């Protein structure tokens, strides 16, 4: 009887060892979501002295993002980093472009614009304007000076 038990134990142990040594097929799943390339939009910023700076941004970026991401040096531009607490990203649009903007300015944006220098009928804050495909080729004027409403 001892021989039967030993033989069964050895048989079971052998099966376990063989199972462990056998390479099991594995499935690998990718948990990363593929990054979709967003379409780029070209924007031209025109300084008060007439200098033109053309840069690209992705659809969905704000005009402030375009300035920051392209390392464009507009003194004091975007001081509050898009939190709508200053007026330093003030931009002036041509009337046809202004009329095509999808969103009207909020009360908060209008309050900040009231503090901006060189305010016009077509002024907006760059942090509040998000790029869309139909804005490709947009041209905006950058006022000569900025007023940081936080000061």
């Amino acid at each position: 009887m001892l021989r039967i038990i030993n033989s069964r134990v050895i048989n079971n142990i052998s099966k376990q060892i063989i199972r462990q040594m056998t390479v099991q097929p594995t499935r690998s799943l990718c948990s990363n979501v593929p990054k979709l390339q967003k379409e780029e939009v070209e924007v031209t910023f025109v300084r008060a002295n007439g200098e033109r700076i053309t840069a690209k941004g992705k659809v969905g970026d704000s005009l402030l993002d375009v300035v920051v991401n392209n390392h464009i040096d507009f003194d004091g531009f975007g001081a509050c980093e898009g939190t709508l607490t200053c007026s330093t990203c003030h931009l002036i649009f041509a009337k046809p472009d202004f009329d095509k903007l999808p969103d009207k300015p909020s009360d908060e944006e209008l309050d900040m614009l009231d503090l901006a220098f060189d305010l016009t009928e077509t002024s907006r804050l760059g942090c509040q304007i998000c790029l869309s495909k139909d804005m490709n080729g947009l041209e905006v004027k950058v006022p000569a000076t900025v007023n940081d409403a936080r000061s």
Side-chain angles (χ1 to χ4, degrees):
M1 177 136 159
L2 187 58
R3 202 177 253 168
I4 294 173
I5 293 174
N6 284 339
S7 134
R8 285 185 183 161
V9 169
I10 291 172
N11 195 16
N12 284 339
I13 291 172
S14 297
K15 286 180 182 177
Q16 288 177 357
I17 291 171
I18 291 172
R19 276 191 211 126
Q20 289 175 356
M21 291 175 42
T22 306
V23 177
Q24 298 291 325
T26 59
R27 290 187 336 172
S28 94
L29 299 173
C30 178
S31 62
N32 294 339
V33 176
K35 292 183 180 178
L36 301 175
Q37 293 291 343
K38 287 188 177 181
E39 190 170 333
E40 287 189 322
V41 175
E42 192 171 271
V43 179
T44 301
F45 298 91
V46 182
R47 291 182 187 256
N49 67 3
E51 178 188 2
R52 303 167 69 77
I53 300 168
T54 301
K56 290 185 179 180
K58 294 187 185 316
V59 170
D61 285 351
S62 71
L63 288 173
L64 174 60
D65 293 333
V66 175
V67 171
V68 171
N69 294 341
N70 287 280
H71 310 288
I72 301 172
D73 185 24
F74 294 140
D75 190 36
F77 194 90
C80 76
E81 300 175 350
T83 60
L84 201 54
T85 57
C86 73
S87 58
T88 60
C89 63
H90 170 216
L91 296 170
I92 302 168
F93 290 78
K95 181 72 170 140
D97 293 328
F98 181 84
D99 291 340
K100 286 191 261 180
L101 293 175
D103 300 317
K104 301 300 174 206
S106 66
D107 289 339
E108 293 85 3
E109 182 180 356
L110 291 173
D111 288 344
M112 289 296 109
L113 281 168
D114 283 342
L115 303 171
F117 292 145
D118 302 328
L119 187 64
T120 72
E121 294 280 324
T122 60
S123 291
R124 291 292 302 269
L125 296 180
C127 66
Q128 299 301 299
I129 307 300
C130 292
L131 296 176
S132 60
K133 287 189 231 179
D134 61 329
M135 290 181 176
N136 192 38
L138 177 68
E139 187 173 294
V140 292
K141 292 181 183 175
V142 180
T145 57
V146 297
N147 181 29
D148 189 345
R150 299 172 304 161
S151 303

